[in-house]
Amino acid sequence: MNHFEYIDGVLHAEGVSIPEMADKVGTPFFCYSTATLERHYKVYADAFEGLDATVCFAVKANSNQAVLKTLGNLGAGADVVSVGEMRRALRAGIDPAKIIFSGVGKADAEMREALEADIAQINVESIPELVELNRVAIEMGKKARIALRINPHVDAKTHEKIATGKAENKFGIDWTRAIEVYRDAAAMDGIEVTGIAMHIGSQLTDLTPFREAFTRLAGLVEQLRSEGIHIRNLDLGGGLGIAYQGETPPLPDAYGQMVRETVGHLGCHITLEPGRLIAGNAGIMVSRVMYIKDGEAKRFVILDAAMNDLIRPTLYSAYHEIIPVEEQGEEDVQATVDVVGPVCETGDTFGKDRKLPDDLKAGDLVAVMSAGAYGAVMSSTYNTRALTPEVLVKGNNFAIVRPRQEIDQLINMDQIPAWLGNE
Ligand SMILES: *Cc1c(COP(=O)(O)O)cnc(C)c1O
């Protein structure tokens, strides 16, 4: 459920009308709903009631500090994959004791900063990384609390670019080698083994792969215990999918029940890292129609947003619902159109063969739905287009939480070397 609805025929985010925001902010822009973020977080967190669990929001899904603070105020921790994300989480006031550092390759400087900040846990994904972290920790006179990220060799049955738990994926340590790596880790002076971590993929719409992976994980924990290696934190990752196009992913309650059944008996603290589920449907991208182009074979609706603003359709062939901001009547004639951006790439297409009002015209607004996760965070400045602003709504108020970048700000970052004549 989200809080983007038509009120008197005009799309609103909670109590604020989209055209009102568009007038003040310009287009395109990302718009997030506080009520939806809060609701998603609460429904998810409630699914683990009775378990000793911490929900660490996956910052890579949406790293705006206003979003992080909204969730942090409800008790969320953060799962970060770079030192930049860690700084954002800390600045948003998230307790270091609730920050987990994941990711396939952490640089020395990142390890150092994480140890300095005394975050809860660093998830290690390979033996060389473990050796390096040990070295850095010893140098600093510290012990790094770690989990090993284990790759359970489970097919998440999701888009190939966001499946992470198969043998051929770059993520984690093969589960068949886990015991020996844990033995090595336990013998390292700079390492304190605290946990075990998994994240098998994103946008999963079925519980079966999770169940398989967590069952495997529980077996490992028991095996490790019999070897005297005490695992106290289970990090189960994120990955629960959302509805983009009528999918019916399992509800958080069913997921929570499955977690109880597979790992509940181990008596461990549980960390969860949802990203998409919290933020995906809590955000939209608002764009203005620039031109309607009636081609030979097709009608194109050309937006002022492009693939640099929201790359998911281009990158993952992802589906995003696109709706007119002015509500269409039941009787109104619809046209079948391709919705595209102005960037010079055929891939710059938001949707093919979509139904939009036949009388949609230049200047009208449309909303690209489900753009709250992996939207603004993945945007770029391709075609020298400035980064898109982000707006957060709460009730009848809204605030710009990232202003539009000035194009000159962007251009001024280039430096001409002296040999080219740098006046
Ligand atoms: C991306 C990622 C997540 C979040 O995944 P969602 O599908 O957005 O829930 C959680 N944990 C790790 C380690 C990740 O890489």
Side-chain angles (χ1 to χ4, degrees), residues 58 60-61 79 81 102-103 123 125 149 171 198-199 201-203 237-240 273-277 373-374:
K60 77 173 193 279
D79 166 55
V81 293
S102 305
N123 291 353
E125 297 218 12
R149 175 165 175 187
F171 298 94
M198 273 187 186
H199 172 72
S202 201
Q203 183 56 13
L240 197 54
E273 303 172 342
R276 190 188 309 272
L277 182 99
Y374 307 105

Side-chain angles (χ1 to χ4, degrees), residues 320-371:
H320 285 265
E321 199 185 337
I322 302 168
I323 61 172
V325 165
E326 225 171 276
E327 189 173 20
Q328 237 193 316
E330 303 259 306
E331 324 269 88
D332 293 350
V333 182
Q334 291 192 317
T336 303
V337 302
D338 281 8
V339 182
V340 303
V343 158
C344 302
E345 300 248 2
T346 304
D348 186 20
T349 299
F350 289 114
K352 285 197 156 144
D353 298 326
R354 298 303 183 84
K355 297 269 187 256
L356 279 171
D358 188 52
D359 59 0
L360 192 73
K361 60 187 184 307
D364 288 352
L365 294 168
V366 299
V368 181
M369 307 305 284
S370 312

